[in-house]
Amino acid sequence: MNTSVLTLDERSNIESGPWFAKLSPALREAILARSTVRRVADGAMLGARGTPAQDWIAVAKGAVRVSSVSLSGKQVTLTYVEPGTWFGDIALFDGLPRTHDASAHGETTLLIVRKGDFKELLAQHVELYDALLRLNCRRLRVMFDTIEDLNTRPLAARLAKQVMLLARRYGVPEGEEIRIGLQLAQEDLAQLLGASRQRVNQELKGFEREGAVRIEPTRLVVLSKDKLLAIAER
């Protein structure tokens, strides 16, 4: 890979990703050597549910929205993949079709490893098997936590946890405030939580009255992490 096509920030996002940074220097170099850079516009489709998997992907800038369409035709967002995160390996392992749709959220820069190169990396670096196993164990733990929250915690607590997560992943410090850099409408938040936009709007207004957040068009600003944490623990 010609890393000069990445900006300094994009390169830093890849190299400092919590999973990638723990790999050995030799494996990191081998992965980057087989990667190509792709820049895509907001909304660009990266993979559709039910189609064959061809790529292993890392986000260098922007975000990737992972979603599906329910039986009633409603769009459901599962997560947003942030810079420094790799995804797409599950379907390359089991050979089955993609499980969800993936699209760019905002202008996005990706590193792409083609399926054949991914298989060669696995064959040449046993370390990659172990690293991906740990990564998928982490994904399972997050999924179990999400299912538990959905069944046991009120919407306000789940929303507060989601806002804190977004602030950690996409937060831009501005003095004592943290602006969430990811542009999200309240409908997007509602989809992440499996709730209606109206209920999410009501809860956010309650957070605002308590001094935990400030609501701006397509943006949230965290005013007090302590107050959000208190709401999440109710």
Side-chain angles (χ1 to χ4, degrees):
M1 182 193 70
N2 181 2
T3 55
S4 65
V5 300
L6 290 175
T7 67
L8 291 176
D9 285 344
E10 290 168 348
R11 192 182 314 177
S12 175
N13 286 336
I14 293 295
E15 294 176 348
S16 64
W19 176 80
F20 189 78
K22 293 179 181 177
L23 303 178
S24 68
L27 180 52
R28 293 199 302 267
E29 182 179 349
I31 292 172
L32 294 177
R34 292 177 180 270
S35 301
T36 57
V37 177
R38 183 187 302 171
R39 287 187 168 83
V40 294
D42 179 35
M45 198 67 171
L46 308 177
R49 182 174 187 169
T51 60
Q54 300 296 335
D55 302 318
W56 183 39
I57 303 173
V59 180
K61 187 190 82 168
V64 171
R65 180 185 185 186
V66 179
S67 62
S68 64
V69 178
S70 69
L71 292 176
S72 64
K74 181 181 179 181
Q75 187 79 19
V76 179
T77 300
L78 279 76
T79 190
Y80 290 89
V81 183
E82 73 269 23
T85 301
W86 292 77
F87 68 99
D89 47 282
I90 293 175
L92 293 180
F93 269 124
D94 63 19
L96 298 176
R98 293 289 192 199
T99 57
H100 298 90
D101 298 332
S103 58
H105 187 78
E107 294 185 356
T108 300
T109 303
L110 307 168
L111 284 186
I112 307 293
V113 178
R114 299 293 290 171
K115 181 178 180 179
D117 289 317
F118 177 76
K119 295 293 187 182
E120 288 188 16
L121 285 168
L122 288 172
Q124 295 171 8
H125 299 269
V126 175
E127 176 192 352
L128 184 56
Y129 273 107
D130 292 337
L132 287 172
L133 177 60
R134 290 193 299 272
L135 177 62
N136 281 297
C137 286
R138 171 61 181 161
R139 290 169 177 161
L140 277 173
R141 289 178 182 274
V142 171
M143 182 184 70
F144 290 149
D145 286 345
T146 301
I147 293 172
E148 181 179 358
D149 284 351
L150 185 62
N151 286 280
T152 63
R153 301 177 71 85
L155 176 60
R158 292 190 287 118
L159 177 57
K161 286 184 66 174
Q162 184 64 61
V163 173
M164 288 192 296
L165 178 63
L166 291 170
R168 185 164 68 246
R169 290 178 172 177
Y170 300 99
V172 180
E174 296 180 347
E176 296 183 356
E177 300 178 353
I178 302 174
R179 180 179 298 275
I180 296 175
L182 188 68
Q183 182 173 333
L184 289 179
Q186 290 186 14
E187 177 62 30
D188 297 322
L189 272 176
Q191 289 180 20
L192 284 172
L193 296 165
S196 69
R197 185 194 62 77
Q198 291 81 3
R199 286 200 62 202
V200 167
N201 177 262
Q202 290 172 1
E203 297 293 353
L204 285 175
K205 286 182 177 178
F207 292 3
E208 194 169 41
R209 287 192 297 270
E210 293 187 44
V213 303
R214 183 173 67 250
I215 303 171
E216 297 181 355
T218 71
R219 289 285 194 276
L220 281 177
V221 179
V222 175
L223 304 179
S224 172
K225 290 188 291 185
D226 289 341
K227 290 180 179 180
L228 270 181
L229 181 59
I231 296 170
E233 292 178 344
R234 287 175 184 168

